[in-house]
Amino acid sequence: MAKTPRIVILGAGYGGIVTSIRLQKKLRAGEAEVTLVNKHVYHYMTTHLHMPAAGTDHHDNARVRIADLIDERKIHFIKSTVQRVDPVHKRVILEDQTLEYDYLVIGLGSEAETFGIPGLKEYAMSIKSINSVRFIRQHVEYMFAKYKMEPQRKDYLTFVVGGAGFTGTEFVGELADRIPVLCRCYDVDPSLVRIINVDASPAALPPDMPVDLVEYGMDVMRRKGVQYKLSTPIRECTPEGVLLGDGHFIRAATVIWSGGVRGNSLLEKAGFEVQRGRVRVDDCLRSPQFPHVFIIGDCSMVMSPEGTPYPANAQIAVQQGYNVARNLVCSVRMRPMQPFDYDYKGTVASLGRGEAVGLLKVKKVKGRKAALLKKLIDARYLYLIGGIPLVWKKMIFKQGAISGNHHVWM
Amino acid sequence: MAKTPRIVILGAGYGGIVTSIRLQKKLRAGEAEVTLVNKHVYHYMTTHLHMPAAGTDHHDNARVRIADLIDERKIHFIKSTVQRVDPVHKRVILEDQTLEYDYLVIGLGSEAETFGIPGLKEYAMSIKSINSVRFIRQHVEYMFAKYKMEPQRKDYLTFVVGGAGFTGTEFVGELADRIPVLCRCYDVDPSLVRIINVDASPAALPPDMPVDLVEYGMDVMRRKGVQYKLSTPIRECTPEGVLLGDGHFIRAATVIWSGGVRGNSLLEKAGFEVQRGRVRVDDCLRSPQFPHVFIIGDCSMVMSPEGTPYPANAQIAVQQGYNVARNLVCSVRMRPMQPFDYDYKGTVASLGRGEAVGLLKVKKVKGRKAALLKKLIDARYLYLIGGIPLVWKKMIFKQGAISGNHHVWM
């Protein structure tokens, strides 16, 4: 081969960071030039964001400095935001430079899917990044402070969460745990606070949960004071609150939207064929249009044997990262690639402190046992990317304070 | 005497709480019926509010539950807000009841004096209560969270403090200490943050400070990054920032006004003759119009031998509380009263962590020594109202966390 192949990885989410770590491990010196581009200097664990969003854990426990995960002598890291992907000319335009590639891995994540509901984009917050969850946490606490200055404004104490699926449920569980603490801190009567979880679908929790686990989960939530408005779409979001499909208007100073995600819009702009922003990839996770482009995580769509797309989540993204890294090594060594074979292990949804429900293949789990399992899943991922020291730092000796009162992070 | 005299004390600030505690100690059982009215269930230390306002200390360290300070078998406590004082008919109208009195003590504190500057009342915050400082602390932190969502909005990181006197200086000193912590927590470049202290007068710090201490204090502040705009009045405050007397407009999402206070407006409404809301009291701290009404603290004006009014502060309010309690005991025992004799001990102004300047009669103090002295003054007051246990609780085993992440207060 005339020159060293150039591999560019866009995004250091689950898919991108695992691809990078695996490439670093598997490639021999000089086999390829690998560049990782990410808009922050840190990787964050999206599945953990519901806790810092509610304020029940510090946001630093949901992120890891990229420099602590990769060896920058082996992988070149660029902190920049991708402006445009140009798969025709095999290049990527960043804020202040252009990268050329031989192989591209796109793991640029998702955007909120608002289904065209007016006002959601403008007035609802979403749980999507360290910045956004730090903002939500502060916003929630600020509402308590504001209420004490204007006690006639009951809407400051009304929290509407649109979407009662996986993310919505996990967030609502934490928020319900946080409210009593905030009430004590701000001298607020807890009976004035309302958490309303709205969903167009008739049941809360992820759609693949069995009915008995859904009932268990909703019971746990209701005991914490969560009100459900199911089979009720949001018709409009305004600065004053939300208008529901049944004509009711809920006055609320806080609306959080977790009703769905779509793939990063850069893909569509780059000319990829997409469905809800996601590219239906081939067996080896490549774009059917541009076979030098691998697409993973929330930007990709992988079909199950039943012919429906697998839900985009951390589990599939991590496995895709492993597969892409292996196939990139095969590619640079001119060996045949191996198709992606998703091993779906199940789902565990947290319901707040010490409570969760889950389905592992066909086995159901709930309560403390499920909550512990959830922690083990988190620990396993940290171990996978950063070994024992990372589990130690983020889960055992973790940051305790919620607010800006500590001196080091990560 | 036909019946037990009724003493009503309005306000549990420095003056009111000290009056109550001293009456409780000095009155014999059955000598008088004492009622204390306050709008919160706690007393707070106004001189400590600059710290929770900036977020450098927990607001619970600035307040004490009234039930922990008074014996409710001896003093009847009513949590209510005073609607109107009617000195002609010797009664006080509360939210849901009317109290009749034989002797009234008014210690209803102050309101911000905005000198008619447009927009200050609407758009500036002020350091005046637990609610207001909890709000300021959250507002400041919220601005950092918002900035990370909209990095083009540099005005989120601009903090204007109007008034560079005692309160303004103490707050700015703490805020400057807090900024680096918030910058680390929110990944914000500290060079983007501006703290601008504006005052119409040509010098910062309290007006009675000698020139060399003022220079020392301003040097300390400037080293922390505080910018001064002196000899510069604020012409107008808007939702976007402040218009200065020199025509400059500072875009700022946070404006805090500490430019002055006036007595509670209830006094003027009740028919008392006032100057800036304060009643010029007689030798025994009584209203010249209504001799059964004692007026203390920020509502009262006491003239110095030089013929100028003493500044309203905690020191004079506490001494007034002692005097009024003694004179009330004299009154119910039909003995002559003793005139108030103010023993002005001096002023110490904090400049943030480990720094202060002060003038004790003619002795100047500065630096660590002054900061320690400031702590001793705070400790002495806590000792005075609550003994050693209160010093222990608020200054030694004090609340550490800033945010709503703890379970008990006080």
Side-chain angles (χ1 to χ4, degrees), chain A residues 267-268 270-275 277-280 287-290:
Chain A
L267 281 135
E268 190 169 5
F272 291 92
E273 279 169 29
V274 294
Q275 292 171 50
R278 299 168 70 191
V279 175
R280 189 166 161 173
S287 156
Q289 300 163 271
F290 305 104

Side-chain angles (χ1 to χ4, degrees), chain A residues 40-170:
Chain A
H40 306 293
V41 296
Y42 51 83
H43 161 71
Y44 58 83
M45 285 75 88
T46 312
T47 60
H48 196 68
L49 290 179
H50 59 290
M51 293 186 73
T56 51
D57 195 9
H58 197 285
H59 57 267
D60 284 347
N61 297 322
R63 64 177 175 179
V64 192
R65 207 182 285 275
I66 289 168
D68 292 345
L69 296 176
I70 62 165
D71 180 346
E72 293 192 58
R73 291 165 305 179
K74 293 181 180 169
I75 294 187
H76 179 48
F77 173 66
I78 298 175
K79 179 189 176 295
S80 187
T81 303
V82 178
Q83 303 293 306
R84 195 158 60 85
V85 178
D86 179 359
V88 175
H89 301 98
K90 292 191 172 180
R91 54 183 196 173
V92 175
I93 294 90
L94 305 182
E95 286 166 315
D96 45 11
Q97 60 183 303
T98 295
L99 300 178
E100 301 194 325
Y101 64 79
D102 296 301
Y103 299 101
L104 182 66
V105 181
I106 301 182
L108 288 169
S110 61
E111 297 174 357
E113 168 66 276
T114 56
F115 304 107
I117 299 167
L120 271 186
K121 225 171 223 147
E122 294 79 7
Y123 309 119
M125 291 163 261
S126 63
I127 297 162
K128 63 180 176 201
S129 64
I130 294 291
N131 285 337
S132 85
V133 300
R134 215 161 27 185
F135 178 71
I136 291 171
R137 176 196 71 204
Q138 284 310 116
H139 179 86
V140 167
E141 191 164 346
Y142 191 52
M143 291 304 112
F144 279 78
K146 275 175 94 79
Y147 169 74
K148 291 301 282 190
M149 300 299 281
E150 299 168 73
Q152 73 284 9
R153 291 287 303 269
K154 301 279 188 291
D155 59 314
Y156 286 148
L157 300 180
T158 302
F159 302 92
V160 172
V161 179
F166 192 85
T167 309
T169 294
E170 291 206 314

Side-chain angles (χ1 to χ4, degrees), chain A residues 286-318:
Chain A
R286 292 173 303 181
S287 156
Q289 300 163 271
F290 305 104
H292 287 82
V293 180
F294 295 82
I295 302 168
I296 56 179
D298 290 0
C299 293
S300 72
M301 186 186 287
V302 178
M303 301 310 277
S304 71
E306 292 79 39
T308 52
Y310 283 118
N313 58 29
Q315 188 179 172
I316 194 166
V318 168

Side-chain angles (χ1 to χ4, degrees), chain A residues 99-400:
Chain A
L99 300 178
E100 301 194 325
Y101 64 79
D102 296 301
Y103 299 101
L104 182 66
V105 181
I106 301 182
L108 288 169
S110 61
E111 297 174 357
E113 168 66 276
T114 56
F115 304 107
I117 299 167
L120 271 186
K121 225 171 223 147
E122 294 79 7
Y123 309 119
M125 291 163 261
S126 63
I127 297 162
K128 63 180 176 201
S129 64
I130 294 291
N131 285 337
S132 85
V133 300
R134 215 161 27 185
F135 178 71
I136 291 171
R137 176 196 71 204
Q138 284 310 116
H139 179 86
V140 167
E141 191 164 346
Y142 191 52
M143 291 304 112
F144 279 78
K146 275 175 94 79
Y147 169 74
K148 291 301 282 190
M149 300 299 281
E150 299 168 73
Q152 73 284 9
R153 291 287 303 269
K154 301 279 188 291
D155 59 314
Y156 286 148
L157 300 180
T158 302
F159 302 92
V160 172
V161 179
F166 192 85
T167 309
T169 294
E170 291 206 314
F171 173 68
V172 163
E174 297 299 320
L175 185 62
D177 286 351
R178 175 82 173 146
I179 294 302
V181 179
L182 290 173
C183 284
R184 277 189 295 268
C185 185
Y186 287 87
D187 315 315
V188 167
D189 174 0
S191 72
L192 297 174
V193 181
R194 295 166 74 202
I195 302 177
I196 305 167
N197 198 353
V198 183
D199 204 304
S201 107
L205 284 90
D208 54 348
M209 284 289 156
V211 160
D212 57 332
L213 288 186
V214 169
E215 277 174 14
Y216 177 86
M218 288 176 70
D219 272 356
V220 168
M221 295 299 215
R222 287 200 180 102
R223 279 200 301 275
K224 295 189 195 199
V226 174
Q227 296 170 43
Y228 281 107
K229 286 253 179 202
L230 300 176
S231 306
T232 310
I234 289 178
R235 199 188 288 169
E236 191 183 345
C237 182
T238 77
E240 283 76 38
V242 288
L243 177 64
L244 301 181
D246 62 11
H248 280 90
F249 188 83
I250 306 175
R251 286 186 65 83
T254 308
V255 180
I256 287 147
W257 176 246
S258 71
V261 294
R262 53 182 292 125
N264 194 311
S265 53
L266 284 170
L267 281 135
E268 190 169 5
K269 285 179 199 145
F272 291 92
E273 279 169 29
V274 294
Q275 292 171 50
R276 284 181 64 180
R278 299 168 70 191
V279 175
R280 189 166 161 173
V281 289
D282 71 9
D283 280 359
C284 292
L285 306 173
R286 292 173 303 181
S287 156
Q289 300 163 271
F290 305 104
H292 287 82
V293 180
F294 295 82
I295 302 168
I296 56 179
D298 290 0
C299 293
S300 72
M301 186 186 287
V302 178
M303 301 310 277
S304 71
E306 292 79 39
T308 52
Y310 283 118
N313 58 29
Q315 188 179 172
I316 194 166
V318 168
Q319 292 185 31
Q320 288 176 325
Y322 272 84
N323 181 267
V324 167
R326 193 168 49 227
N327 283 339
L328 282 167
V329 173
C330 292
S331 299
V332 302
R333 290 179 192 163
M334 312 287 188
R335 290 196 198 141
M337 300 201 291
Q338 292 171 342
F340 176 63
D341 181 20
Y342 182 32
D343 174 21
Y344 175 66
K345 293 181 201 309
T347 309
V348 183
S350 160
L351 306 168
R353 194 174 167 80
E355 279 286 359
V357 286
L359 184 65
L360 308 173
K361 312 245 182 199
V362 295
K363 191 177 156 49
K364 298 173 190 173
V365 284
K366 65 184 182 191
R368 299 222 145 257
K369 201 170 139 186
L372 181 65
L373 186 65
K374 180 86 183 173
K375 277 203 194 301
L376 288 175
I377 295 168
D378 290 347
R380 181 179 168 274
Y381 176 70
L382 290 175
Y383 175 74
L384 199 139
I385 61 168
I388 296 283
L390 197 61
V391 181
W392 190 260
K393 201 167 176 180
K394 301 293 168 185
M395 297 192 72
I396 298 166
F397 268 138
K398 66 182 195 175
Q399 292 286 348

Side-chain angles (χ1 to χ4, degrees), chain B residues 378-399:
Chain B
D378 290 348
R380 180 180 170 274
Y381 175 71
L382 291 174
Y383 175 74
L384 199 140
I385 61 169
I388 295 283
L390 197 61
V391 180
W392 191 260
K393 201 168 177 181
K394 300 293 167 185
M395 297 192 71
I396 298 165
F397 269 138
K398 65 181 193 174
Q399 292 286 349

